Amino acid sequence: MSNTSLFLRTLLSNPRMVGAMLPSGAMLADLITNEVDPSDGPVLELGPGTGVFTEALLARGVHQKDLTLVEFASDFAGMLRVRFPEAHVLCANAARLGAHNLPEDVLFGCAISGLPLLNMSPKAVVAILTGVLSRLREGGALYQFTYGVRCPVSYRLLDRFGFKATLHGQVLRNFPPARVYKIIRRRPPRLSVAPR
């Protein structure tokens, strides 16, 4: 089955999980990966889907063995294992990173996310951000794209949990147009209580 056929089948069966009408384009893949430096360490990718961002990471010099791909859809995860046999592919929920077999004692240089955060509950979004940012080395960032007109994480949640998001760039010629945000941990969270 082709990447496009698998993408469309998954979209039709669970549109909220995919969160897009088409796989991400090359310009978006270039933007979301343009600050990745292979010398910064291994890379964590969330929701790689058909592997468009994964291919861009490889083009930037990241080795497959330095990639950990976390994909919830088992069909996509199976395809990723075939396409990127040296990568560490986990069929797992990104909101429960601590419960899965991430490489122990590994701090990632950065994380790239294709997750449809706008389709998720605030509790799941905070769990993803907290899990990812706790596994990044100092100075590491999460790059998150959205088709929305603002950051897919509300500024209230960002502030409450000590995160900071800045617009990294936008691709107007993507369909639909997309923005990429760079999210870092600014300080310890104000409260340890989960969002409502």
Side-chain angles (χ1 to χ4, degrees):
M1 178 180 299
S2 73
N3 294 351
T4 304
S5 298
L6 179 57
F7 181 90
L8 292 174
R9 191 180 82 190
T10 306
L11 172 66
L12 291 173
S13 65
N14 194 345
R16 288 180 59 82
M17 182 176 71
V18 176
M21 295 301 289
L22 295 170
S24 300
M27 291 177 71
L28 176 56
D30 184 59
L31 174 62
I32 201 168
T33 61
N34 71 4
E35 286 191 344
V36 174
D37 182 342
S39 67
D40 287 341
V43 176
L44 177 64
E45 186 180 355
L46 306 177
T50 61
V52 174
F53 296 164
T54 313
E55 289 173 349
L57 289 166
L58 296 174
R60 295 209 178 272
V62 178
H63 297 286
Q64 279 192 41
K65 64 182 176 51
D66 292 328
L67 288 172
T68 297
L69 311 176
V70 180
E71 175 55 55
F72 185 74
S74 59
D75 287 347
F76 283 149
M79 181 202 61
L80 292 165
R81 286 186 183 105
V82 171
R83 291 189 64 206
F84 310 108
E86 295 178 44
H88 186 200
V89 179
L90 294 175
C91 186
N93 183 340
R96 300 183 64 223
L97 284 179
H100 300 293
N101 191 24
L102 283 179
E104 287 188 34
D105 302 324
V106 171
L107 291 179
F108 296 95
C110 70
I112 304 294
S113 174
L115 296 173
L117 295 187
L118 292 175
N119 292 349
M120 298 180 182
S121 71
K123 183 177 180 179
V125 170
V126 169
I128 290 166
L129 294 180
T130 303
V132 170
L133 295 174
S134 70
R135 295 301 303 263
L136 295 182
R137 61 190 289 186
E138 188 172 343
L142 166 64
Y143 296 88
Q144 173 69 52
F145 91 93
T146 183
Y147 297 124
V149 296
R150 60 181 67 89
C151 182
V153 185
S154 75
Y155 287 102
R156 179 184 62 81
L157 283 181
L158 289 167
D159 186 57
R160 181 176 179 190
F161 289 90
F163 305 127
K164 178 182 178 185
T166 54
L167 179 63
H168 179 64
Q170 55 188 348
V171 181
L172 299 177
R173 293 193 308 185
N174 192 73
F175 182 78
R179 294 170 181 249
V180 173
Y181 285 85
K182 181 178 182 177
I183 303 173
I184 60 171
R185 183 176 285 286
R186 185 179 67 231
R187 57 173 169 70
R190 272 194 217 162
L191 302 171
S192 59
V193 179
R196 294 185 194 120

